[in-house]
Amino acid sequence: MDPYILMRNITKVYPNGIAAIKGVDFSVEKGEIHGLIGENGAGKTTLMKILFGMERPTAGTISVAGQTVKMTSPHTAIKMKLGMVQQHFMLVPTFTVAENLVLGMEPKQGITFLLQRAIELTEDLSRQYGLPVPPRAITSDLSVGLQQRVEILKILLRKAECLIFDEPTSVLTPLETKELFCAMQRLATEGKVIIFITHKLREVKEIADRITILRNGKRVAVCKAADVSEQDITRMMVGEAKIPAPVKRTTVSGPSVLSVRGLTCQRKDGHIAVCNLSFDVAAGEILAIAGIMGNGQTELVEALTGLYPCLTGTITVNGEDVSTASPRRIRLCGLSHIPADRMGRGIAAPGSITDNLIIDRYFKAEFSRHSIFGLRKKQIRQHGEILRQRFNIKAPTAMMPVQLLSGGNMQRVVIAREFTAAANLMIADQPTQGIDIASTLDVRQRLLDDRNAGKAILLISADLSEILQLADRIVVLYNGEITAHFSTPAEITTEELGYYMLGAAQQAGPEIEQAA
Amino acid sequence: MYRVNLFQLLQIVSAILIALIIGLIIIFVVSEEPFRAAYYLLFGPLTRIHRSIEWIHMTIPIIFTGLAVSLVFQAKQFNIGAEGQFLVGAAGATFVALHFPPIGGLHILIIALAAMAGGTLWGAVPGLLKARFAANELVSSLMMNFIGFFLALYLVNHYFRDVQAGFMVSYRFPLTAWLPDLTIRPRLHSGIILAVIAVGLIWYFLYRTKWGYEIRMVGMNLKFAEFGGINVQRVVFYVQALSGGVAGLAGAVELMGVHHRFLWTSMPGLGFDGIIVAILARNHPLGLLFAALFIGYLRTAARLMERRTDVAAEVTIIMQAVVILLVTAEAFLQHWQRRRKEREALLDG
């Protein structure tokens, strides 16, 4: 029998000239959980977007249930009984769960929308698949895990036979992940086809029947998950054996570099995003902030870097009060900053690598003569060239526009700039998000080197293993407040952290006060 | 990088060709003497020396206003107030030309400075409103045009008006306020040299000074500029003010070079032409020189055609519109570019 989904010789070249995937074959059987694994930028998401009709392949054919299809849009895909759970949920936040579920296929009588019927539909479907949701609740009030469940039900309601999950666990706590896996297994036993995109080895080993490994836009292997070890998969993903070893902590921390007292931040819509935070980061230590995204991390970082004013509280960098200082002033006090929003904050995409590397230093005597006499073009070019080579930015010259680089190389531009800034405090906000393993290891090593050299580092990361590997101390941010502080990260597990991140547990006041 | 520019050039050239074809089709439809009209449209400005000079004179103010507008566009801000800045600059120039002691050499300089001051003031207003109160500069700069225009008319009418002339014009400037001529008969004034110098200066400013860097970074990604410590509000303000200054200078050059008195009773439209050439040149100062020459050529040819044949000059407005549409249409020819990129990417392996 033919596989349920068969993609042959798929190639995709993006308009920017980057070949995301080249001649990939991919197949999934009925009743199977198939892991699609690869580093970021390996082409996993692109391949699935093609399957789901969101991107058109440059070459190749797709067949579903033995029938060759031209996937021209997600509509075609849905008609072919495919469904995709996106990383960013496609739900209307102000609608109730039931309304979201029936959106686009509402039960109607004449022109009247039958809410009661929608609620019944939701309850039936929930029961049928064992995925309980509150049908009357407003979607934005739900936890991320529940919202994801709504997404899944939405797809099932549209009679999907094949469900594609794009990195579904990246936003979930360990507990929610477990629940999701149960649901996936149940669906598979009912004969659905599950495709599971991830770059987390443990998860794929845990749940997938078979795995397809992509590297650099090409398929490197298809195998039974039981037949390979995590090391094998890593090797195939990265291409060479580069398995991270746990880091020995050697340094003793010095005087406080960043000191935050009673910091409260308000978003533009009036919501208090960060509430009464107090903590210190000392020279020679990495303080990590763990927390599910959207619990105040963005606002905290914007306040610390002067990009958004804080409501109350004080921020001190190297002894100077910078609570109301401009971003430049704070940088001059000794801060460097790797922003989480790389495209939005970290780079000017149309600009050259060279121009992107001097945004925090172009005005300094090294690069600029007095006022109208202009910039020191030669020094700036040299600076760009040197950093391009030193940080291994893959481009023929440093004059190339940043927008022509891949995501990983864009991040290298940011890394190159921020690691060479004249600063002894670094705020690293999701520094390894969306980059490949080799670059990730490089960034982590640099963070550790800088710490050992006596810098103070504030690390914000959604990746718990990163936090556990690097941090000297950990604070957990939940709903804008610090709910836990650990001064010996070696003694805690991801599960334990997860409880605090989810708000299921909270330390007592005195323990939290140790953060300061 | 160079490839991309080559592609843009191709895009512009084909846009011009298409516009030309459309223009010719219209001429052949409406005209009794289509070949004569087409001849003037295509070659008119080249047929006599004085016509070529008319072309250059037509081009000079557009270079200045184009520079002014492109500065602001580089910061991804808007400025459709070059018209008003031009007129206020011209009014300032008229004031100084008539009331300042006519000292050779110095007089021209002071007039230029006065015009720049007027234009700067007019540009600073939308800049300040945007930087300080986030007021849409598109609206405010447009409104400033009318204020500027009627202010200039008021000043001319009440203070500088030459009652002996049959029209509402100012007194003639003294000879010390005339730009020196490069050739005598037919006369070509030295404004073209100033325009070329201005192109060089603005290029240097944009690509070689820290202010220019700030402007470009704000234009490429405002949030990035902010992140890097650039005071975005300040940039938004000074780029508008500076742009106003350049547009104001255009007014002075036009009066000192060509008319030698303030004579406009309706908006001459040179500020708006600046927007067109800035778009055509993709805001690059060097490209602007050529874009201004192109638009100037089209205008001169249109006037000639109108004078000599039965085709109205407005035909060129249609052509101009077609060019702008095609140049700003991002998807035009992109298909071709994408296919080439696909081939290259696959060859890279």
Side-chain angles (χ1 to χ4, degrees):
Chain A
M1 198 185 94
D2 273 349
Y4 188 75
I5 303 250
L6 181 63
M7 299 175 82
R8 270 183 182 285
N9 200 20
I10 302 287
T11 296
K12 170 73 189 175
V13 179
Y14 276 111
N16 61 9
I18 290 163
I21 44 181
K22 298 165 218 162
V24 168
D25 293 332
F26 180 73
S27 68
V28 197
E29 312 277 348
K30 247 187 140 58
E32 172 187 31
I33 299 181
H34 194 106
L36 181 57
I37 191 161
E39 292 190 79
N40 284 299
K44 307 174 300 249
T45 302
T46 306
L47 186 66
M48 286 305 109
K49 279 185 173 166
I50 289 171
L51 178 58
F52 196 57
M54 292 161 76
E55 301 274 1
R56 305 266 197 97
T58 312
T61 57
I62 304 172
S63 71
V64 178
Q67 188 187 347
T68 306
V69 235
K70 241 199 154 90
M71 290 291 180
T72 47
S73 75
H75 284 286
T76 331
I78 290 166
K79 244 182 256 158
M80 295 311 297
K81 300 191 173 174
L82 300 181
M84 187 156 176
V85 180
Q86 309 275 354
Q87 275 183 57
H88 306 282
F89 304 142
M90 306 287 165
L91 299 170
V92 184
T94 53
F95 278 17
T96 62
V97 169
E99 283 169 332
N100 258 310
L101 216 60
V102 298
L103 189 66
M105 45 183 296
E106 301 85 356
K108 278 178 288 201
Q109 188 169 48
I111 54 163
T112 331
F113 169 54
L114 301 172
L115 179 62
Q116 195 48 45
R117 181 78 199 98
I119 290 171
E120 282 161 23
L121 260 174
T122 309
E123 282 168 344
D124 288 350
L125 202 67
S126 279
R127 214 167 308 127
Q128 188 188 341
Y129 290 103
L131 292 168
V133 288
R136 287 168 212 271
I138 301 292
T139 309
S140 59
D141 294 343
L142 300 183
S143 71
V144 181
L146 272 178
Q147 288 191 27
Q148 192 178 56
R149 206 175 277 175
V150 177
E151 267 301 322
I152 298 171
L153 287 173
K154 205 171 113 186
I155 291 164
L156 291 171
L157 184 65
R158 282 153 186 76
K159 309 253 180 299
E161 284 301 315
C162 170
L163 288 87
I164 306 165
F165 291 86
D166 189 1
E167 311 248 356
T169 60
S170 60
V171 288
L172 301 182
T173 60
L175 203 72
E176 288 175 322
T177 304
K178 270 186 188 147
E179 285 174 4
L180 172 70
F181 284 177
C182 285
M184 282 164 72
Q185 256 148 0
R186 208 158 38 234
L187 289 168
T189 40
E190 282 176 29
K192 306 268 187 212
V193 176
I194 310 273
I195 301 171
F196 174 42
I197 309 176
T198 187
H199 58 250
K200 292 180 186 162
L201 302 172
R202 189 146 26 94
E203 293 178 351
V204 88
K205 274 288 285 175
E206 186 180 335
I207 187 154
D209 301 314
R210 282 199 308 152
I211 46 180
T212 294
I213 301 168
L214 295 183
R215 183 173 77 226
N216 217 352
K218 289 184 181 144
R219 190 181 78 176
V220 269
V222 187
C223 46
K224 283 217 162 75
D227 296 347
V228 283
S229 69
E230 284 187 26
Q231 274 80 0
D232 293 337
I233 303 175
T234 311
R235 214 165 10 252
M236 288 188 273
M237 274 169 69
V238 191
E240 55 202 286
K242 265 191 197 163
I243 296 148
V247 177
K248 287 186 216 107
R249 302 178 205 285
T250 51
T251 46
V252 185
S253 51
S256 166
V257 174
L258 170 69
S259 179
V260 177
R261 289 291 174 276
L263 181 72
T264 299
C265 305
Q266 193 174 20
R267 277 207 310 250
K268 281 200 183 100
D269 61 10
H271 176 81
I272 299 286
V274 170
C275 186
N276 199 21
L277 289 198
S278 295
F279 62 86
D280 271 63
V281 188
E285 75 162 351
I286 298 179
L287 174 69
I289 294 186
I292 298 166
M293 294 211 229
N295 274 286
Q297 293 94 327
T298 315
E299 291 80 4
L300 172 64
V301 170
E302 301 241 305
L304 293 180
T305 51
L307 293 167
Y308 196 73
C310 59
L311 197 62
T312 56
T314 56
I315 304 164
T316 316
V317 174
N318 287 315
E320 188 161 341
D321 182 359
V322 294
S323 316
T324 56
S326 69
R328 165 137 331 149
R329 182 83 215 109
I330 299 177
R331 276 182 177 271
L332 290 175
C333 285
L335 171 115
S336 66
H337 173 200
I338 299 173
D341 183 3
R342 186 183 310 147
M343 295 296 286
R345 282 272 188 221
I347 53 162
S352 66
I353 296 171
T354 305
D355 277 352
N356 270 278
L357 287 171
I358 55 167
I359 191 75
D360 64 331
R361 59 196 75 156
Y362 65 92
F363 55 89
K364 293 186 177 168
E366 198 185 344
F367 299 116
S368 183
R369 296 186 194 90
H370 263 293
S371 56
I372 59 162
F373 298 109
L375 296 165
R376 297 180 198 276
K377 192 182 121 212
K378 215 177 100 193
Q379 278 86 337
I380 289 173
R381 286 235 170 118
Q382 248 170 20
H383 172 259
E385 236 2 271
I386 290 169
L387 290 195
R388 177 181 72 81
Q389 283 162 18
R390 208 172 111 199
F391 286 82
N392 200 15
I393 300 164
K394 291 208 179 78
T397 105
M399 298 307 289
M400 192 155 126
V402 170
Q403 62 195 354
L404 298 182
L405 303 178
S406 70
N409 278 304
M410 284 183 188
Q411 184 71 342
R412 284 198 188 132
V413 174
V414 178
I415 300 284
R417 183 181 60 228
E418 301 304 331
F419 274 101
T420 54
N424 65 343
L425 167 66
M426 171 173 277
I427 295 182
D429 193 358
Q430 316 289 356
T432 61
Q433 185 185 47
I435 59 177
D436 60 38
I437 289 187
S439 310
T440 299
L441 295 180
D442 176 62
V443 171
R444 289 182 184 164
Q445 192 54 50
R446 285 180 194 281
L447 286 171
L448 290 169
D449 289 347
D450 271 16
R451 178 200 65 180
N452 294 343
K455 275 198 196 177
I457 294 168
L458 180 66
L459 170 71
I460 295 105
S461 180
D463 184 344
L464 285 186
S465 64
E466 176 165 279
I467 285 184
L468 289 173
Q469 191 196 353
L470 299 180
D472 299 314
R473 289 190 297 136
I474 301 175
V475 295
V476 178
L477 202 59
Y478 173 71
N479 216 357
E481 291 177 62
I482 294 180
T483 54
H485 170 250
F486 303 99
S487 47
T488 46
E491 293 162 18
I492 37 172
T493 63
T494 45
E495 266 78 13
E496 217 176 318
L497 264 181
Y499 284 127
Y500 289 101
M501 285 163 61
L502 202 60
Q506 178 161 10
Q507 284 179 350
E511 280 181 289
I512 293 171
E513 277 159 25
Q514 286 174 3
Chain B
M1 193 165 69
Y2 300 107
R3 289 257 179 103
V4 175
N5 287 346
L6 194 71
F7 169 76
Q8 287 182 347
L9 194 68
L10 182 88
Q11 204 181 19
I12 288 168
V13 169
S14 41
I16 290 173
L17 281 178
I18 291 172
L20 211 57
I21 291 166
I22 291 176
L24 290 176
I25 290 174
I26 295 174
I27 287 175
F28 274 83
V29 169
V30 301
S31 178
E32 302 272 306
E33 39 180 356
F35 289 101
R36 223 167 108 79
Y39 170 75
Y40 280 114
L41 179 65
L42 293 177
F43 308 109
L46 303 177
T47 48
R48 298 271 195 288
I49 294 282
H50 74 266
R51 287 173 188 163
S52 301
I53 284 178
E54 190 184 339
W55 169 29
I56 303 295
H57 279 180
M58 189 72 95
T59 305
I60 293 166
I62 311 180
I63 294 176
F64 280 105
T65 52
L67 282 174
V69 172
S70 66
L71 264 178
V72 175
F73 281 3
Q74 282 269 5
K76 274 246 173 65
Q77 300 290 306
F78 276 105
N79 176 16
I80 47 178
E83 190 72 28
Q85 292 149 10
F86 174 91
L87 286 164
V88 172
T94 307
F95 173 75
V96 176
L98 299 177
H99 293 280
F100 198 81
I103 305 163
L106 187 66
H107 204 185
I108 289 174
L109 190 70
I110 306 278
I111 291 172
L113 287 177
M116 286 173 78
T120 304
L121 188 72
W122 237 243
V125 174
L128 189 71
L129 290 176
K130 173 74 183 267
R132 199 78 189 77
F133 306 108
N136 189 330
E137 75 279 15
L138 190 85
V139 177
S140 55
S141 67
L142 178 66
M143 293 304 135
M144 289 299 285
N145 282 341
F146 298 103
I147 306 176
F149 172 55
F150 289 109
L151 175 75
L153 280 192
Y154 173 83
L155 289 175
V156 171
N157 204 7
H158 286 80
Y159 298 103
F160 320 133
R161 181 160 178 181
D162 183 355
V163 282
Q164 316 249 284
F167 319 96
M168 202 197 83
V169 293
S170 77
Y171 290 108
R172 231 166 212 287
F173 291 3
L175 281 174
T176 47
W178 292 27
L179 281 183
D181 291 333
L182 295 178
T183 60
I184 306 299
R185 193 163 292 163
R187 201 175 59 83
L188 171 64
H189 73 80
S190 49
I192 187 66
I193 294 174
L194 294 180
V196 171
I197 292 173
V199 166
L201 284 178
I202 298 280
W203 176 85
Y204 181 83
F205 176 79
L206 272 175
Y207 294 96
R208 291 287 182 269
T209 69
K210 57 183 168 192
W211 296 302
Y213 176 79
E214 289 177 352
I215 290 171
R216 287 187 296 119
M217 289 303 128
V218 168
M220 286 178 191
N221 183 352
L222 190 141
K223 285 176 77 185
F224 172 67
E226 189 186 29
F227 157 89
I230 292 174
N231 186 338
V232 173
Q233 268 79 29
R234 211 187 63 191
V235 173
V236 164
F237 169 71
Y238 74 62
V239 76
Q240 291 280 9
L242 190 73
S243 159
V246 177
L249 182 61
V253 169
E254 190 66 359
L255 291 189
M256 291 194 291
V258 183
H259 308 296
H260 305 133
R261 59 178 10 154
F262 191 102
L263 77 175
W264 293 294
T265 50
S266 62
M267 293 196 196
L270 293 168
F272 296 116
D273 288 343
I275 299 176
I276 293 169
V277 292
I279 291 172
L280 270 183
R282 307 225 171 207
N283 309 325
H284 197 283
L286 300 181
L288 210 126
L289 203 56
F290 295 99
L293 279 169
F294 169 68
I295 293 292
Y297 189 92
L298 212 56
R299 287 289 154 80
T300 317
R303 277 197 193 174
L304 258 173
M305 182 174 71
E306 189 169 60
R307 254 182 281 157
R308 294 292 169 125
T309 72
D310 60 347
V311 180
E314 276 73 17
V315 171
T316 56
I317 306 284
I318 298 173
M319 293 171 61
Q320 203 172 291
V322 170
V323 174
I324 295 293
L325 277 178
L326 291 178
V327 168
T328 50
E330 303 232 323
F332 177 53
L333 289 183
Q334 294 275 308
H335 178 69
W336 175 84
Q337 191 188 24
R338 195 180 66 226
R339 279 232 311 270
R340 203 197 58 202
K341 276 192 175 168
E342 281 174 4
R343 274 201 309 273
E344 278 178 11
L346 289 178
L347 282 178
D348 284 349

